């Protein structure tokens, strides 16, 4: 993998090698510990995308991607909890609303960790969460099917759709409170460690000054859609980690393929017009998935019967790869992926 000389990449590598990777199998079974999150907070990685004047690093996109690859390859559960944080940071960076001055600094400096509760907007026109204005602020009703990092996050960025068909995003504390109830943690085939729950909203009140974004739903969807078309850096991180478990004779050609797909995917992701080259982006996304499955399968085959142990790294990476196949999936990306799978020669 390409190595970028940057202090945050160095910190991510030190964190991965010294803490995350050695504990990953235990974390996979027991859950992401608060100590991992405290280490992430101290590392400065939570401020990757944040403005320097608020305590962040405003790091180049190449640095953001490489740190994601490193963390995901070391412990995908920990990566997934902390990666939620970056959307609230970028949302606050772009807004001019009062909540920016209250929260952007603490989030950029790693004093607070934020989760997100907005993926359900991608199920539109089905609306799992509705928002209605009342005299005392905004009231949220409905169900957030997936919320990651419960018990680890300090705040969350919660979204719903208003009666005027606007997407509204606002911050609230990540704790049970009047109008917000939480399920038991979900038992999942992969990333159970990420402390994922569902949230039941029954008139949760959020004050006007906590609103971070409000715009017509169609405008939000147009901005969001390109994000799910590009290959996820975490996929490359899992692929690289899996290939470390495979004899070099067999891993070497797959590493060359990894570098080629990674280069093409990132070049396209950097294209100045995010709405162009949709089919090519989705095709590269599927190529990255295919290579990841090949690499994790090779790691399991290399491990033999030992790979069936829950304490084995190869099978953990294989399960994490399955998770990444559906993480951030939309109807568009699902259809494109299934079509390519169906068309592939046997």
């Amino acid at each position: 993998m390409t190595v970028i000389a940057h202090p945050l990449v160095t910190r991510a590598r030190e964190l991965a090698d010294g803490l995350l990777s050695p504990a990953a199998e235990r974390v996979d079974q027991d859950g992401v510990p608060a100590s991992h999150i405290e280490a992430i907070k101290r590392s400065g990685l939570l401020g990757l995308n944040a403005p320097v004047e608020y305590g962040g690093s405003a790091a180049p996109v190449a640095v953001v991607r490489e740190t994601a690859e490193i963390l995901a390859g070391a412990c995908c559960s920990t990566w997934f909890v902390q990666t939620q944080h970056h959307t609230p940071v970028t949302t606050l960076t772009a807004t001019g609303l009062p909540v920016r001055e209250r929260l952007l600094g603490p989030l950029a400096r790693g004093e607070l960790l934020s989760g997100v509760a907005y993926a359900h907007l991608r199920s539109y026109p089905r609306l799992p969460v509705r928002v209605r204005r009342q005299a005392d602020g905004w009231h949220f009703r409905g169900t957030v099917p997936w919320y990651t990092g419960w018990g680890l996050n300090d705040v969350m960025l919660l979204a719903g759709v208003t009666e005027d068909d606007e997407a509204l995003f606002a911050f609230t504390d990540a704790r049970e409170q009047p109008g917000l109830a939480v399920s038991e943690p979900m038992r999942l085939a992969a990333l159970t460690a990420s402390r994922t729950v569902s949230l039941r909203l029954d008139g949760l009140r959020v004050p006007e000054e906590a609103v971070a974004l409000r715009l017509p739903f169609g405008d939000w969807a147009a901005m969001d859609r390109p994000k799910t078309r590009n290959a996820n850096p975490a996929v490359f991180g899992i692929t690289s980690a899996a290939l470390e478990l495979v004899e070099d004779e067999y891993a070497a050609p797959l590493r060359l393929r990894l570098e080629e797909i990674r280069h093409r995917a990132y070049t396209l992701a950097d294209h100045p017009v995010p709405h162009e080259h949709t089919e090519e982006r989705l095709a590269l996304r599927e190529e990255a998935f295919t290579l990841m499955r090949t690499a994790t399968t090779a790691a399991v085959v290399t491990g033999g019967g030992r790979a069936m142990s829950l304490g084995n790294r190869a099978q953990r990476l294989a399960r994490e790869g399955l998770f990444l196949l559906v993480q951030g999936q939309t109807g568009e990306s699902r259809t494109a992926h299934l079509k390519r799978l169906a068309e592939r020669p046997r």
Side-chain angles (χ1 to χ4, degrees):
M1 302 290 283
T2 304
V3 177
I4 296 172
H6 191 281
L8 289 175
V9 173
T10 301
R11 281 181 226 166
R13 177 58 66 192
E14 292 172 347
L15 193 61
D17 293 345
L19 176 66
L20 303 186
S21 187
E25 278 67 56
R26 175 178 54 80
V27 167
D28 179 59
Q29 297 302 306
D30 298 340
V32 175
S35 57
H36 273 33
I37 298 306
E38 289 305 313
I40 293 283
K41 286 181 173 180
R42 292 192 301 269
S43 71
L45 293 171
L46 295 181
L48 272 168
N49 297 313
V52 173
E53 60 268 29
Y54 285 84
S57 299
V61 67
V63 170
V64 175
R65 289 171 181 153
E66 185 148 351
T67 57
E69 292 175 11
I70 291 168
L71 296 182
C75 178
C76 197
S77 293
T78 301
W79 163 79
F80 192 52
V81 170
Q82 66 82 41
T83 200
Q84 316 293 315
H85 180 89
H86 300 298
T87 294
V89 168
T90 55
T91 300
L92 286 171
T93 299
T95 190
L97 296 175
V99 70
R100 171 186 171 120
E101 298 308 313
R102 177 167 66 88
L103 285 179
L104 184 53
L107 293 177
R109 295 188 296 269
E111 296 164 9
L112 297 175
L113 179 72
S114 182
V116 294
Y118 77 92
H120 50 273
L121 293 186
R122 293 171 178 156
S123 65
Y124 187 90
R126 186 170 61 85
L127 299 174
V129 177
R130 298 302 303 257
V131 192
R132 177 173 293 183
R133 185 193 284 277
Q134 302 287 354
D136 57 351
W138 296 92
H139 287 219
F140 287 75
R141 295 186 183 276
T143 299
V144 175
W146 306 91
Y147 179 81
T148 293
W150 186 260
L152 297 170
N153 296 321
D154 302 295
V155 296
M156 72 171 82
L157 181 61
L158 173 64
V161 178
T162 72
E163 292 179 305
D164 295 326
D165 216 27
E166 294 176 312
L168 185 142
F169 290 69
F171 283 91
T172 189
D173 290 339
R175 57 175 176 80
E176 289 199 76
Q177 54 185 296
L180 190 161
V182 61
S183 73
E184 291 296 315
M186 298 180 187
R187 295 295 299 172
L188 306 171
L191 273 71
T192 286
S194 65
R195 304 198 193 188
T196 296
V197 298
S198 63
L199 306 177
R200 298 182 296 279
L201 308 174
D202 186 17
L204 172 68
R205 186 188 75 84
V206 177
E208 181 69 40
E209 58 267 25
V211 173
L213 180 66
R214 181 181 166 200
L215 74 171
F217 180 85
D219 293 350
W220 174 82
M223 292 190 301
D224 177 71
R225 202 170 294 119
K227 301 175 185 176
T228 62
R229 292 170 177 162
N230 293 314
N232 184 345
V235 172
F236 300 127
I238 293 291
T239 303
S240 181
L243 292 178
E244 291 176 3
L245 304 178
V246 180
E247 294 97 326
D248 192 62
E249 174 186 359
Y250 307 109
L254 295 176
R255 288 195 184 99
L256 290 175
R257 180 69 173 145
L258 170 60
E259 285 297 332
E260 185 259 330
I261 294 175
R262 182 179 183 262
H263 174 74
R264 288 165 55 210
Y266 288 167
T267 298
L268 195 55
D270 290 336
H271 189 278
V273 185
H275 297 282
E276 292 183 354
H277 304 288
T278 296
E279 290 188 7
E280 187 179 354
R281 294 175 194 271
L282 291 170
L284 275 170
R285 186 173 184 268
E286 199 275 335
E287 284 188 57
F289 283 151
T290 298
L291 182 61
M292 177 182 66
R293 291 196 305 271
T294 299
T296 55
T297 299
V300 169
V301 171
T302 298
R306 295 185 302 277
M308 292 302 99
S309 166
L310 286 176
N312 182 273
R313 181 152 301 189
Q315 62 79 32
R316 172 180 61 81
L317 290 168
R319 287 187 290 106
E320 291 171 349
L322 286 175
F323 168 81
L324 292 178
L325 291 178
V326 297
Q327 188 256 328
Q329 186 184 68
T330 64
E332 178 187 50
S333 63
R334 180 190 302 112
T335 297
H337 195 170
L338 289 172
K339 281 183 177 179
R340 287 184 63 83
L341 289 172
E343 293 169 357
R344 183 173 297 131
R346 296 188 179 183

